[in-house]
C-alpha cells in the first residue's frame, strides 16, 4: 500500500533483534512518518563467527560440519554445495547411487526449509494454524534425517566423493509414505491461505520488486522467480544429475509477497515429485568413489588391513591435497544461489574459502521493497524473503 | 557463448587491460588492471552478446604472502545467456583502494561493505561504506592472513558492560 507523507514528525525506531518477525538477530532501523517507512536500514552484525577464516585453518574434510551451521534449516544443501566445489577442484566423479541420494536428500531439505518458511511467514502475518500444521510435517522429515545421519539438524552427511553411509533400513519406505501423503497436506495449507481474503490483503501488491531490479540487486531463488525471472541452477547448470529428473520451475508475475508465496508452495510440490522419482530410479552400487588420497577406505578394511589403516590415518591427519587452482560452484539452495569459491594453493587447507550466501544478498533488497510502504508490510516482506541469519552473518 | 568466445571478445577489446587469463576446470578467469575496471565492468554488463547482468559474488582475497597484493574477485553470470566469467583485480596491499561497481550492479553494495570490513579494502565512490559483519569497535581485519585465527578482541562485552557492576 502506498501512503502519502502527511507529517513532518520523523520517528526512528528499532525493529528487532527480539521482534519475532525478524527471524533471528536482524535489527532494522526504521525511520517512520506515522506508519510510513521513510528509510529502512538493516543491521546484521550480531553473530559473525568468522567461518571463512576458520576454513583456512581446517582440512577440507574438517570443514564439512561447519557448512551445516550456515543455513541451519537446510544442512544438506550446504554440505552438497561445498562437496561439489571440492570435487570440482579435485576433478573427480562420484557414483550414480550417491548422486541420486544427494538429490533425494536435498529435495527433502528444500521441503523442510520451505515448511519452516511457510510456518513462520504465516505466523508473522497472523495465521497460527498453518504454523502447527507445517511443524507437524517438518517433524516427520527431521525424524527421517535422524534415521540416516543420527542428527536432526546438523547432519554433516555428504562427504567429498560421496556420502557418509548408505541409507538406513526403513528410510525409503518411510520417505515413500511421506511423499504419498504430502501433496494432500499442501492442499490443506492452500485451503487455509491461497484464496483467503485476509491473506491476500496482506500480501498482494506488498513488497513489490520488478524483474530488472531483482536481477540488479542480485536476488536469487524463489525471491527472484517471484518477479518472473525463470532462472533455476538445477535447470541452467545441472549438477548431481538433475537433468535426469522431470520437474518444472514455478515463476510469479508481479514480484510481490503473494507471488513469492505461490512460487514456494509450488516448489514444494515439484520437490516432492523429484523425491518420488529419485526413489523410483535409485540404482544399486557404491555410495562413495574409491579414490586414493581423497576418500576414506571402507570401515571394515580399516579394522582388518594395515594399508587401509595407514591410508585412513594419513587422510585424517593430513587431509586431501587438491591441485593449485580456484573454482566457483553454486547450487540452487532453498533460498537461492549458494556458491562456494575455493582457492587452493596445493596444501591441505583451503587458501581462501568464500561463501556466497543467498540470504545475505536477498536481504540487501529489503529497503528497496519497503521504503514508502507501511510498517506491517515490513513484517510481511521480511517473511517473504525467507532469510536465515546464520547464513547472513557468517 | 563458450569460454573461448568470451575470452576472445574481452582480449581483443581490452588487450592492454588484461594482464593474465586462463581456463581451469572449465572456468574462465581474467586478471585486469585497476584503471580499466569500471570500463570493463560496464562493457560486460551492457554488451548484447555478453549480458553479464548478474553479479553473483564479489570478494576480497589476501595474496600478500605470495604476490604482495590484495585481489578483488568478481563472479559474473548472465541469466539470459547462461555463461559465467571471473574477473580479478590485483590492488596494492599498502594502499588498498579500488573504484566501486555499485553504479553498475546494485548488489555490489553489501559485498563491498563486507570486503571493506574483512580486508580493509576501500571502495572509492561507495554510497555508504560502513562495517557490516563485525561490531563498530572491532580491531583489525579478520580475513587478512596476518590476523591470527585464534585472536581475541581486546575489549569484550564483559569488560565494557559488566565489570565493576557485579
Amino acid at each position: 500500500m502506498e501512503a502519502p507523507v502527511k507529517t513532518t514528525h520523523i520517528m526512528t525506531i528499532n525493529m528487532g533483534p527480539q521482534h519475532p518477525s525478524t527471524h533471528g538477530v536482524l535489527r532494522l532501523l526504521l525511520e517512520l512518518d506515522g506508519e510510513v517507512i521513510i528509510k529502512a536500514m538493516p543491521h546484521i552484525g550480531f553473530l559473525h563467527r568468522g567461518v571463512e577464516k576458520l576454513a583456512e585453518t581446517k582440512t577440507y574434510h574438517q570443514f564439512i560440519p561447519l557448512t551445516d551451521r550456515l543455513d541451519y534449516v537446510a544442512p544438506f544443501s550446504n554440505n552438497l554445495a561445498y562437496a561439489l566445489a571440492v570435487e570440482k577442484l579435485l576433478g573427480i566423479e562420484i557414483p550414480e547411487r550417491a548422486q541420486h541420494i544427494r538429490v533425494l536428500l536435498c529435495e527433502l531439505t528444500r521441503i523442510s526449509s520451505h515448511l519452516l518458511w511457510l510456518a513462520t511467514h504465516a505466523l508473522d502475518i497472523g495465521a497460527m494454524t498453518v504454523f502447527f500444521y507445517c511443524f507437524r510435517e517438518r517433524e516427520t522429515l527431521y525424524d527421517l534425517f535422524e534415521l540416516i545421519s543420527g542428527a536432526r539438524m546438523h547432519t554433516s552427511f555428504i562427504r567429498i566423493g560421496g556420502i557418509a553411509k548408505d541409507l538406513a533400513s526403513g528410510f525409503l519406505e518411510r520417505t515413500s509414505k511421506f511423499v504419498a501423503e504430502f501433496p494432500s497436506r499442501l492442499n490443506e495449507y492452500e485451503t487455509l491461505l491461497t484464496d483467503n481474503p485476509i491473506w491476500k490483503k496482506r500480501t498482494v501488491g506488498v513488497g513489490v520488486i520488478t524483474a530488472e531490479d531483482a536481477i540488479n540487486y542480485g536476488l536469487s531463488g524463489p525471491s527472484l522467480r517471484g518477479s518472473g525471472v525463470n532462472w533455476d541452477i538445477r535447470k541452467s547448470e545441472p549438477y548431481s544429475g538433475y537433468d535426469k529428473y522431470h520437474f518444472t520451475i514455478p515463476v510469479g508475475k508481479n514480484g510481490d509477497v503473494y507471488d513469492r508465496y505461490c512460487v514456494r508452495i509450488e516448489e514444494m510440490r515439484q520437490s516432492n515429485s523429484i523425491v518420488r522419482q529419485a526413489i523410483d530410479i535409485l540404482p544399486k552400487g557404491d555410495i562413495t568413489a574409491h579414490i586414493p588420497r581423497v576418500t576414506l577406505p571402507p570401515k571394515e578394511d580399516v579394522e582388518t588391513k594395515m594399508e587401509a589403516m595407514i591410508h585412513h590415518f594419513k587422510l585424517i591427519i593430513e587431509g586431501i591435497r587438491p591441485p593449485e587452482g580456484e573454482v566457483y560452484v553454486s547450487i540452487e539452495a532453498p533460498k537461492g544461489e549458494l556458491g562456494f569459491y575455493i582457492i587452493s594453493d596445493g596444501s591441505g587447507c583451503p587458501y581462501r574459502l568464500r561463501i556466497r550466501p543467498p540470504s545475505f544478498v536477498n536481504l540487501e533488497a529489503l529497503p528497496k521493497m519497503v521504503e514508502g510502504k507501511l510498517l506491517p508490510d515490513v513484517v510481511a516482506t521480511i517473511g517473504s524473503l525467507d532469510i536465515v541469519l546464520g547464513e547472513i552473518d557468517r | 557463448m563458450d569460454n573461448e568466445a568470451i575470452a576472445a571478445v574481452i582480449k581483443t577489446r581490452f588487450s592492454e587491460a588484461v594482464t593474465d587469463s586462463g581456463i581451469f576446470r572449465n572456468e574462465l578467469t581474467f586478471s585486469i588492471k585497476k584503471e580499466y575496471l569500471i570500463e570493463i565492468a560496464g562493457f560486460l554488463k551492457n554488451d548484447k552478446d555478453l549480458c553479464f547482468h548478474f553479479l553473483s559474488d564479489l570478494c576480497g582475497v589476501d595474496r600478500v604472502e605470495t604476490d604482495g597484493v590484495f585481489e578483488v574477485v568478481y563472479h559474473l553470470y548472465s541469466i539470459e545467456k547462461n555463461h559465467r566469467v571471473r574477473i580479478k583485480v590485483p590492488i596494492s596491499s599498502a594502499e588498498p583502494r579500488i573504484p566501486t561497481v555499485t553504479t553498475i550492479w546494485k548488489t555490489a553494495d553489501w559485498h563491498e561493505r563486507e570486503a571493506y570490513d574483512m580486508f580493509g579494502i576501500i571502495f572509492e565512490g561507495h554510497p555508504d561504506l560502513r562495517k557490516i559483519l563485525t561490531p563498530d569497535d572491532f580491531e583489525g581485519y579478520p580475513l587478512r592472513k596476518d590476523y591470527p585465527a585464534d585472536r581475541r578482541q581486546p575489549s569484550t562485552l564483559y569488560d565494557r558492560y559488566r565489570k565493576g557492576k557485579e
Side-chain angles (χ1 to χ4, degrees), chain B residues 77-106:
Chain B
Y77 178 65
S78 167
I79 293 178
E80 220 169 287
K81 311 276 179 186
N82 192 20
H83 51 215
R84 287 183 186 270
V85 71
R86 176 187 304 129
I87 305 288
K88 301 207 280 186
V89 188
I91 53 174
S92 140
S93 61
E95 211 201 335
R97 289 177 171 275
I98 188 165
T100 175
V101 292
T102 45
T103 44
I104 295 160
W105 298 283
K106 281 261 173 54

Side-chain angles (χ1 to χ4, degrees), chain A residues 14 37 70 133 152 160 217 230 233 254 263 306:
Chain A
N14 279 306
I37 315 282
L70 299 168
Y133 282 2
R152 293 169 76 77
I160 297 158
Y217 274 95
N230 188 348
I233 302 175
N254 310 316
V263 164
M306 190 49 136

Side-chain angles (χ1 to χ4, degrees), chain A residues 188-378:
Chain A
E188 271 175 38
Y189 314 148
E190 287 221 87
T191 332
L192 284 168
L193 296 177
T194 306
D195 293 323
N196 181 333
I198 304 173
W199 181 258
K200 282 187 128 173
K201 273 248 157 77
R202 288 298 305 275
T203 56
V204 175
V206 169
V208 179
I209 189 157
T210 61
E212 198 186 334
D213 277 341
I215 293 174
N216 204 357
Y217 274 95
L219 290 186
S220 53
S223 308
L224 174 66
R225 290 193 286 275
S227 299
V229 182
N230 188 348
W231 176 51
D232 187 309
I233 302 175
R234 291 175 293 174
K235 288 278 188 198
S236 68
E237 295 158 282
Y239 52 90
S240 294
Y242 265 110
D243 39 357
K244 298 192 188 80
Y245 297 89
H246 300 286
F247 60 101
T248 54
I249 305 298
V251 175
K253 265 198 216 90
N254 310 316
D256 56 8
V257 175
Y258 186 72
D259 275 18
R260 292 195 277 276
Y261 155 80
C262 292
V263 164
R264 286 202 181 90
I265 291 277
E266 185 54 33
E267 264 192 25
M268 284 199 262
R269 279 210 181 83
Q270 297 297 330
S271 291
N272 198 60
S273 134
I274 296 175
V275 174
R276 188 181 293 134
Q277 293 171 44
I279 295 174
D280 287 346
I281 58 174
L282 190 65
K284 293 216 169 359
D286 284 338
I287 49 145
T288 8
H290 294 292
I291 301 161
R293 290 166 182 275
V294 175
T295 54
L296 293 173
K299 199 82 187 165
E300 51 272 25
D301 284 6
V302 177
E303 284 158 3
T304 54
K305 292 180 189 147
M306 190 49 136
E307 294 76 20
M309 198 186 82
I310 295 170
H311 176 192
H312 184 274
F313 176 81
K314 279 187 78 88
L315 257 180
I316 295 291
I317 299 297
E318 290 172 3
I320 52 177
R321 290 174 186 277
E324 241 175 88
E326 51 199 296
V327 291
Y328 176 80
V329 174
S330 57
I331 68 159
E332 188 68 31
K335 285 150 192 90
E337 182 189 12
L338 172 67
F340 276 83
Y341 171 49
I342 303 179
I343 302 180
S344 160
D345 59 350
S347 72
C349 312
Y351 183 79
R352 168 92 165 97
L353 187 142
R354 155 82 185 166
I355 303 152
R356 190 266 186 209
S359 293
F360 178 83
V361 186
N362 290 353
L363 184 65
E364 197 182 343
L366 182 71
K368 170 86 186 163
M369 290 177 184
V370 300
E371 278 169 13
K373 306 291 158 58
L374 298 177
L375 184 58
D377 295 345
V378 179

